[in-house]
């Protein structure tokens, strides 16, 4: 039997469950254990933490979760790779080394350096850099500037003998693809294998997202309490089976995996990573018994000569307050009260000579506020008023936070008080993304106090003409004389990339796809999601993935700034797919009868 490599992912984000690592170490029969912590919103949070404490800026969960498992990890010879270093990877490594010392476990810890471009910021500011989406110039002050590195530095650290590799900002899938390149000795020119490796990383980087978590058909998923975390078992030809520990909860089917395949991607024929440009349109998902799916068919092309860089910068202050209002006409009362609070405090700002609010966002939770004009609950008798505001002056928002309480005695009846007490004022940290030549990053590996320089491999030049031509979905044949909700025909998932969101839609059966594609044009999505799209810069693109009978939609400038910069209740577009699943799709009566 040919050799395989088993890799389990124990974290999808900073704050994920502490039980996953133990589950995988005890029942996963792993070669590698990986952790992913660094969503774009997390980099903003870590930057804010380091502003307060120079020793902070890494995912402390990593050390806390790993510490009690160190003896067993050592016994099983499981190697660990994680981007837990955030914007302070050396501090993360020092904390983990202390834990190893306390446990009496001798594990070699390597730190990958080179993603942090903040020391070069004065030079960067003179290069005429512009934001890759909006075209805005580089801010005068950034608190963090990190390039998305690829897998070569991690591969070199493993080659040097590291048992644990801690990185700063790398692309999420690199923690998996690096292990596979190292174990199988793949060339950096084996683009199809690199694309498959990247896909394996992409599918498990969000933990339980592919094992039944966040799944459209949530009623079918057993035992959320003990949901299994994913394992990929990869062979030297790059095909792999996705599974979970025996006896764990959750569900693995082509649909649960397909939702994650579509999650947070743009063009599926040109998914840009530092080591390979991936084409996922021909990927096939085949059930291999209970809770196991075989994955193959990803294709690759040479990568570009650039890294994506995410910088964060302060942009004033923000404050969010929530209060419950109940009783007859709760929605109307909530509208009146929220507008009155904003009007009163704005007037107080003016009297003090302060600037007006930079931004105000009012959402009435319980009135289906996230659905915009598609909301149906204007008769609700219980609503949470969510007031989120932004201002350049912290003092103004401190005043705002104090003035809300007066509404309980001086405005409409039924206001029960501020949820969680008087709200806190926070700095608003905004994301700024741009491209930079890979040569601008010097990769170094710190292992046992020794620095090792890591050179990037020489790669082929990407020919833009080699990028595949987008597929057109098949045309629907026959007459549509009925209609059903999209959820009857497809599963869907949505997520974020900066200020953009994607909605991936996967047909439950191949014959449903033509009718879905005919109904869900970009123009229809613009209309249905107009309440979230920027009125000037918002737009929608659509792609077809024939291998999985799927469509992917990219909603540009749809998140109100995205991440911690957005004042919305859904700053990452996580509920967008749920809204779209309500839309009616014209279909033949025969299909309506089949799904109803």
């Amino acid at each position: 039997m040919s050799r395989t490599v088993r890799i389990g992912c124990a974290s999808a984000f900073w704050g994920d469950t502490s039980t996953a690592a133990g589950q995988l170490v005890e029942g996963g029969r792993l070669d590698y254990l990986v952790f992913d912590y660094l969503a774009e919103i997390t980099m903003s949070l870590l930057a804010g933490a380091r502003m307060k404490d120079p020793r902070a800026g890494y995912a402390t969960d990593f050390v806390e979760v790993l510490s009690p498992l160190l003896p067993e990890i050592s016994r099983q010879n499981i190697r660990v790779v994680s981007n837990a270093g955030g914007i302070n990877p050396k501090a993360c490594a020092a904390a983990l080394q202390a834990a190893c010392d306390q446990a009496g476990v001798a594990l070699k810890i390597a730190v990958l350096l080179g993603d942090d471009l903040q020391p070069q910021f004065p030079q960067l500011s003179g290069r005429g850099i512009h934001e890759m989406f909006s075209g805005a110039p580089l801010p005068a002050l950034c608190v963090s500037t990190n390039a998305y590195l690829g897998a070569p530095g991690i591969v070199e650290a493993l080659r040097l003998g590291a048992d644990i590799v801690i990185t700063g900002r790398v692309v999420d899938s690199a923690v998996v693809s690096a292990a596979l390149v190292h174990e199988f000795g793949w060339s950096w020119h084996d683009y199809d294998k690199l694309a498959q490796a990247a896909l394996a990383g992409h599918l498990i980087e969000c933990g339980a997202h592919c094992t039944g978590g966040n799944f459209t058909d949530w009623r079918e998923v057993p035992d959320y309490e003990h949901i299994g975390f994913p394992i990929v078992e990869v062979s030297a030809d790059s095909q792999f089976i996705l599974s979970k520990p025996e006896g764990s909860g959750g569900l693995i089917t082509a649909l649960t995996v397909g939702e994650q395949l579509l999650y947070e991607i743009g063009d599926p024929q040109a998914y840009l990573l530092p080591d390979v440009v991936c084409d996922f349109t021909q990927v096939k998902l085949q059930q291999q018994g209970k809770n196991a799916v075989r994955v193959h068919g990803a294709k690759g092309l040479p990568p570009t000569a650039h890294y994506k860089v995410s910088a964060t910068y302060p942009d004033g202050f923000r404050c969010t307050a929530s209060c419950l209002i109940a009783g007859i006409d709760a929605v109307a009362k909530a509208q009146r009260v929220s507008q009155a609070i904003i009007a009163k405090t704005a007037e107080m700002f003016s009297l003090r000579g302060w600037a007006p609010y930079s931004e105000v966002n009012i959402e009435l939770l319980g009135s289906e506020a996230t659905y915009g004009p598609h909301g149906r609950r204007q008769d609700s008798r219980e609503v949470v008023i969510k007031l989120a505001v932004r201002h350049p002056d912290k003092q103004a928002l401190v005043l705002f936070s104090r003035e809300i309480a007066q509404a309980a005695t001086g405005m409409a009846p039924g206001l029960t008080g501020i949820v969680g007490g008087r709200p806190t004022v926070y700095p608003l940290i905004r994301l700024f993304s741009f491209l930079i030549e890979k040569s601008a990053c010097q990769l170094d590996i710190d292992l046992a106090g020794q620095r090792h320089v890591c050179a990037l491999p020489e790669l082929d030049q990407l020919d833009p003409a080699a990028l595949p031509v987008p597929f057109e979905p098949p045309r629907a044949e026959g007459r549509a004389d009925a209609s059903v909700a999209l959820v009857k025909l497809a599963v869907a998932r949505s997520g974020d990339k900066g200020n953009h969101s994607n909605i991936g839609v996967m047909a439950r059966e191949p014959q449903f796809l033509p009718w879905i594609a005919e109904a869900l044009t970009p123009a229809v999505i613009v209309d249905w999601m107009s309440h979230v799209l920027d009125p000037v810069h918002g737009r929608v693109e659509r792609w077809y993935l024939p291998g999985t009978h799927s469509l992917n939609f990219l909603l540009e400038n749809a998140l109100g700034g995205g991440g911690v910069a957005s004042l919305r209740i859904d700053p990452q577009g996580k509920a967008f797919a749920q809204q779209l699943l309500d839309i009616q799709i014209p279909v033949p009566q025969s299909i309506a009868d089949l799904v109803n």
Side-chain angles (χ1 to χ4, degrees):
M1 183 175 178
S2 61
R3 173 173 173 261
T4 60
V5 175
R6 291 175 61 86
I7 305 172
C9 180
S11 175
F13 59 94
W14 187 25
D16 205 346
T17 178
S18 61
T19 65
Q23 176 201 90
L24 288 166
V25 168
E26 292 163 15
R29 298 179 286 111
L30 300 181
D31 299 297
Y32 285 82
L33 177 66
V34 302
F35 298 76
D36 177 32
Y37 290 102
L38 299 185
E40 290 176 322
I41 191 171
T42 313
M43 296 299 285
S44 299
L45 294 171
L46 292 174
R50 192 174 66 174
M51 287 171 65
K52 297 177 183 177
D53 181 356
R55 298 168 297 180
Y58 65 91
T60 53
D61 295 13
F62 176 64
V63 179
E64 294 166 4
V65 167
L66 208 59
S67 292
L69 300 172
L70 290 170
E72 188 61 19
I73 285 171
S74 177
R75 188 188 71 80
Q76 294 188 38
N77 294 317
I78 299 172
R79 301 177 89 170
V80 178
V81 184
S82 176
N83 58 13
I87 60 173
N88 201 350
K90 295 183 77 171
C92 181
L96 187 59
Q97 184 62 62
C100 288
D101 294 344
Q102 185 173 359
V105 175
L107 293 172
K108 298 176 183 176
I109 302 173
V111 178
L112 174 62
L113 305 170
D115 66 296
D116 187 2
L117 297 176
Q118 189 64 18
Q120 300 181 35
F121 190 79
Q123 291 77 31
L124 294 176
S125 60
R127 294 179 57 170
I129 289 172
H130 289 80
E131 216 276 340
M132 60 189 295
F133 302 111
S134 70
L138 186 69
L141 171 68
C142 286
V143 294
S144 69
T145 311
N146 295 83
Y148 285 66
L149 302 182
I154 304 173
V155 173
E156 179 62 12
L158 294 171
R159 188 192 69 79
L160 290 169
D163 301 302
I164 300 174
V165 182
I166 296 172
T167 77
R169 198 46 168 131
V170 296
V171 292
D172 299 343
S173 57
V175 296
V176 171
S177 58
L180 297 173
V181 170
H182 171 70
E183 291 292 333
F184 292 124
W186 292 337
S187 163
W188 294 110
H189 300 271
D190 288 336
Y191 299 120
D192 287 350
K193 290 179 179 177
L194 295 178
Q196 274 283 122
L199 178 57
H202 173 69
L203 290 177
I204 71 171
E205 71 193 27
C206 291
H209 250 193
C210 63
T211 61
N214 200 17
F215 181 44
T216 299
D217 298 338
W218 56 273
R219 287 184 176 87
E220 297 182 6
V221 182
D223 198 6
Y224 276 157
E225 297 86 344
H226 307 99
I227 196 164
F229 271 63
I231 300 167
V232 285
E233 184 167 4
V234 190
S235 58
D237 66 0
S238 78
Q239 293 193 43
F240 60 90
I241 293 176
L242 195 155
S243 65
K244 60 187 183 68
E246 191 71 29
S248 62
L251 178 70
I252 298 179
T253 68
L255 291 179
T256 70
V257 176
E259 278 196 7
Q260 178 58 25
L261 167 65
L262 298 168
Y263 183 63
E264 294 186 342
I265 65 172
D267 183 350
Q269 285 187 298
Y271 185 58
L272 305 180
L273 294 173
D275 306 317
V276 63
V277 173
C278 302
D279 177 0
F280 294 156
T281 55
Q282 302 285 8
V283 168
K284 300 284 188 181
L285 306 174
Q286 298 172 325
Q287 198 74 36
Q288 298 284 296
K290 186 178 180 181
N291 291 317
V293 169
R294 178 176 292 278
V295 184
H296 62 93
K299 299 294 182 182
L301 289 168
T304 71
H306 295 84
Y307 287 130
K308 179 183 175 183
V309 180
S310 287
T312 57
Y313 65 98
D315 187 21
F317 298 85
R318 62 174 293 162
C319 185
T320 301
S322 299
C323 47
L324 177 70
I325 191 165
I328 301 167
D329 295 329
V331 175
K333 289 190 295 186
Q335 290 170 340
R336 173 90 183 272
V337 168
S338 56
Q339 290 163 4
I341 291 170
I342 296 300
K344 177 180 180 180
T345 50
E347 183 176 316
M348 295 173 74
F349 293 176
S350 179
L351 291 172
R352 285 163 172 76
W354 296 343
Y357 285 110
S358 305
E359 185 180 357
V360 174
N361 193 65
I362 301 171
E363 292 171 297
L364 307 183
L365 312 182
S367 69
E368 299 192 357
T370 57
Y371 281 77
H374 311 296
R376 302 171 185 160
R377 290 299 309 276
Q378 296 304 299
D379 61 341
S380 176
R381 293 177 297 175
E382 188 176 79
V383 175
V384 173
I385 299 171
K386 177 181 169 290
L387 285 173
V389 293
R390 186 164 63 89
H391 197 279
D393 188 344
K394 180 178 181 180
Q395 189 177 7
L397 295 191
V398 170
L399 184 151
F400 162 81
S401 72
R402 291 173 177 166
E403 284 296 320
I404 298 166
Q406 187 264 340
T409 55
M411 295 185 187
L415 195 71
T416 66
I418 303 173
V419 178
R422 180 179 293 168
T424 303
V425 179
Y426 294 100
L428 188 144
I429 305 295
R430 199 175 288 277
L431 182 69
F432 183 97
S433 300
F434 62 95
L435 298 176
I436 197 167
E437 298 83 1
K438 289 178 179 175
S439 58
C441 297
Q442 172 62 59
L443 274 58
D444 292 303
I445 295 148
D446 188 317
L447 179 62
Q450 296 291 316
R451 282 289 186 99
H452 304 266
V453 176
C454 176
L456 290 177
E458 292 290 332
L459 296 174
D460 304 318
Q461 187 172 0
L462 175 64
D463 179 5
L467 292 171
V469 176
F471 293 98
E472 287 296 324
R475 300 291 299 270
E477 296 182 2
R479 187 165 65 93
D481 47 7
S483 70
V484 297
L486 176 62
V487 70
K488 297 281 191 177
L489 305 173
V491 297
R493 181 173 297 172
S494 54
D496 71 304
K497 282 295 179 186
N499 194 30
H500 306 328
S501 176
N502 91 298
I503 305 177
V505 177
M506 182 178 180
R508 296 179 184 276
E509 299 291 343
Q511 67 265 33
F512 298 164
L513 189 281
W515 299 100
I516 297 170
E518 186 164 298
L520 296 186
T521 64
V524 167
I525 302 299
V526 167
D527 179 67
W528 189 258
M529 302 299 295
S530 61
H531 57 289
V532 300
L533 287 165
D534 183 281
V536 176
H537 303 292
R539 61 189 294 266
V540 173
E541 288 189 78
R542 185 183 82 167
W543 296 275
Y544 168 49
L545 294 80
T548 49
H549 315 292
S550 303
L551 299 172
N552 188 49
F553 298 91
L554 182 67
L555 284 65
E556 296 183 9
N557 301 300
L559 297 174
V564 294
S566 176
L567 300 185
R568 298 181 188 172
I569 191 65
D570 186 9
Q572 296 173 283
K574 302 300 184 187
F576 286 7
Q578 295 299 301
Q579 296 174 43
L580 186 62
L581 285 168
D582 271 336
I583 199 169
Q584 290 289 311
I585 306 295
V587 295
Q589 187 63 51
S590 59
I591 290 180
D593 292 341
L594 182 65
V595 300
N596 285 325

